[in-house]
Amino acid sequence: MSLSRSRSKYLALLAVVMLVASTLAPLAPDHAYAQSKIALSLSVPTLCENTLTPELLAEFEQQYPGVKVYLTFSETSFFGFGPGSSTIDDKLDAAEELVSSADVLYVDSSSLTVEGTLAGYFLDLAPLVMSDPTLDSADFIPAVWQSYQWSNGFWALPFSTDVVLLTYDPVAFDAAGLAYPNERWTVDDFANAARQLTQYNADGTVATPGFTTVSGGNNQDMFLRILAGTSLYDAATMPNTPRLTDPALEYTLQVWYELVQEGVVNARGGGRDNDIPLRVEGINGYARRRFGFNQDDSDEEVRYASLLPGGVSGLNVQAFAVSAGTQYPEMAYKLAKFLTTRSELATNNFSASPARYSLFGTAQNTNNGPGGPGGPGGPGGGFGGGQTAPEEIQPVVDQGLTAGLPVAELRYSSYLSAALTEMESNGDDALSALQVVEAQAVSESQTAQARYGTVNLYVEPPLTGPQLAEGEIALTCAVNLGMGGRGRGSQFANQDQWDQVIADYVASEPGVGAVNLESVFDTNLTVLAGEYDCIILPSNVVPDSDLSVVLNLDPLIDTDPTFDRNDVIGNTLTQLQQDNKTWALPLAIQPQMLRYDPEQFAWAGVPEPINGWTTDAFVDALRMLKLYDTDPAPFSPNDPSGSYIMMLIAAFGGLPVDYRTDPATISFTDPANVDAIRQVLDLAAAGYISYSEASTPGMASAGADAAITTGTLNQFAQFFRPEGMPQDTMVSTMYPQGSQYGVVAYEITTGYISATAQNPDAAYHFLSAVADNPQLFSGMPARQSLVNDPAVIAAQGEEVVAIYQQLDALLRDPNTIVLPVQSGQGGMNAFNFIQEYWLRRAFDSYVLEGADLEQALSEAEMLTLAYMECTQGVVVDTTMTDIGEQRREAAEKMLACATGVDPTFGLTD
């Protein structure tokens, strides 16, 4: 691994990447619309929120004076990961709801279906496309351009695509003595490879399948359709009707079914897909795994790629469609076309390439052509930045774009999964199963056609804001609740509770006629304070922000008779202060917790830690939950930062890094600290704790059957449970507490007031009202009085409040150690993480390599002290306007110090 690549994750931790926004020259306005008032609504997934900015939409509005675009966020997901429907009526109802929500709609192959077009829900764009002299079809990748054209209709304008290929591990193929796969392979070749590559347990059961379609149903259906080499529709009929009974398809399906039953093929995806040597996968997924987005996979061996059978690739195409219920079809079409020209959208984390050739060399996609700087697979921007295709497979990606199979050619392929289910459930052979699902497909198509014209489709006009009385204002507030509190689309998980708090506040606050909440992903105060009166964030950003953009809250707090500084839990208020000024109001706190499975505890005879537990009780529980060496680790942390290790060490009486002093006190080799470290790491080495490299940041995930894992208090988990998934029965409890120290770590939900707020007093009163309603947040109240409030107990339940009270008592104990949160909403705390890097590397050496602990800790202490001495003068003045430049310079100095004291810093094998 190269030095630059292996260290990139540490540079990312320092947040030194600066996004340079490029603007396009505004086009001349279309005065044909200047006298009209047109309100268009645009529906996109929530992940597009930071890409589709008001500035971007303003460019379109400048071209068409009198047009206003209102953005809404939908629960539409990417490529089939959204909620499923069991019947055709459910699917059609969902499509009807989608097209009634906005004039212009983000679509992909999971949301724009044949049935939806047969029902007349989507506007046929063919007349508009054919009469538009400014739309150059030659600018689009041909297969991408054709993807949403069928039955003489043109249903969506594409803007981006992913490429689905066959990827494989050459080392595994060489070890098995197999030739590498190519586009000439048949289903029998794949069957032989799957069986030869599968790894088995000693008892003959499958340990690791040889072949997977990674993302489950979508890729499986695509692969089977391509493997069979035949279309699944009758082109001689209009509209095209389903045709699934074909000898080649029958044989392919029968062989595939047998492979799945043997366990040598993982067709559903998930699990340990990354260990499987042969995969059908999109480039966006492969790039994520290849470059270490998942901690367990950061060192994955280089894989090669091949086109799919027949010399084609699969395509997952993102596009914009127009609702058949729009009142403004021509203008909606113009908006959809405009959006396809934006590189911010076209290059994103779910794609390998823009749909348009003209975007291959834009600011967000800086390669000059396929595979080179800014071509397909080049680095990009929107939705969090584009995926980079690894050099070793870039030529195949380029071939895949040229030889892609349009989405239109995959119509009715979803019925292949239904056929496999039919075979498994009813014991049918492949031919019988295909006959059953063909009849189902024909029936469902007829049901969709029968709906055509029976529904008066109508897109509700977008809400343009509340009606205010003279002298009233509408307070604007940006709310980021993190993934825990975000609901569907632009709503919150507990929207009704927010609505009630707002209604009560508006009724009692003079001069305020409305509060406009906007759900955001951003945590940048400089950006948010320029657009909103108040800001609510899921973490404390005071230490790292330009505080000149928000108000010092002390004058407001000091004149508030309802606010008692001594009522705030622990040292929470102190953490929100800088330069002896308070910059944020504490709204809630989010403690780090453990979660356990009461069923497994009962089975093993382990007492539940209802009132917390000691370190001895914790160790006893681990030993009772793991009776045999072959049993899985009972404690499987879901903690990408490894903070749980530092919390357990503190509970066992060790403070190798003492954050109670400034700077932190480093004492890795103190005998008491060594003993505490050894006790915790020995549990990991013995298999009681599932351990991943503590010195490498990543995306750790708990085992599916873990008896104990990590987590936070989250009352909103129920809102995000996929349909059909069993109810979560895990119970939250405290970390074990030691005889010397109690230990806790928590994040603070914070409220800020913009320095340019319309009415600072009104904004403060609103934040105070929010703080008085802890049910709005997934954590616990930030004030002691609310912890014991009868109304809170009644609303949240005695069991939840009992945990609040335990945490409150712990935080008031002078022997409690409050550790910094290493993985807040804004990412891991890079300053603390690098300070702990060598300590964590010593942990890795001891647990994973059997190194001498005292020697490893001694070396780590020496390097850490040298690093801290080097960085002693590195500071960021958050009151200055050039905070971004200061951060970049500070990060460069920190990295120079780290590599100066240890040239191996950040390197991985």
Side-chain angles (χ1 to χ4, degrees), residues 69-89:
V69 179
Y70 293 90
L71 194 60
T72 65
F73 298 104
S74 75
E75 58 186 270
T76 301
S77 300
F78 295 95
F79 309 127
F81 292 101
S85 298
S86 57
T87 69
I88 183 60
D89 287 321

Side-chain angles (χ1 to χ4, degrees), residues 305-388:
S306 167
L307 293 176
L308 298 173
V312 301
S313 70
L315 297 176
N316 281 323
V317 178
Q318 299 167 305
F320 286 103
V322 174
S323 169
T326 183
Q327 300 178 61
Y328 311 105
E330 291 185 3
M331 186 53 62
Y333 163 76
K334 290 177 183 289
L335 175 58
K337 181 178 71 171
F338 167 81
L339 293 171
T340 69
T341 68
R342 304 304 303 201
S343 56
E344 304 96 319
L345 290 168
T347 311
N348 62 70
N349 266 343
F350 299 88
S351 77
S353 171
R356 286 177 176 262
Y357 291 121
S358 57
L359 296 184
F360 284 178
T362 55
Q364 270 73 28
N365 197 330
T366 55
N367 293 341
N368 294 321
F383 310 10
Q387 294 302 324
T388 301

Side-chain angles (χ1 to χ4, degrees), residues 167-230:
T167 73
Y168 59 94
D169 179 1
V171 175
F173 272 75
D174 292 343
L178 290 170
Y180 297 160
N182 58 60
E183 61 268 24
R184 294 180 297 279
W185 269 29
T186 66
V187 66
D188 293 320
D189 294 318
F190 283 104
N192 177 61
R195 293 183 174 111
Q196 294 295 321
L197 293 168
T198 294
Q199 300 294 312
Y200 295 90
N201 296 312
D203 61 0
T205 58
V206 171
T208 304
F211 188 22
T212 180
T213 49
V214 180
S215 66
N218 281 8
N219 280 359
Q220 173 184 250
D221 297 336
M222 177 189 294
F223 179 68
L224 291 175
R225 153 63 184 88
I226 290 172
L227 195 58
T230 182

Side-chain angles (χ1 to χ4, degrees), residues 581-616:
K581 298 175 181 177
T582 306
W583 300 99
L585 201 65
L587 307 178
I589 62 176
Q590 183 72 272
Q592 301 294 303
M593 305 290 290
L594 293 183
R595 307 183 73 236
Y596 68 91
D597 181 356
E599 184 175 335
Q600 291 193 55
F601 270 53
W603 180 86
V606 179
E608 291 188 43
I610 296 173
N611 296 314
W613 44 8
T614 64
T615 51
D616 288 341

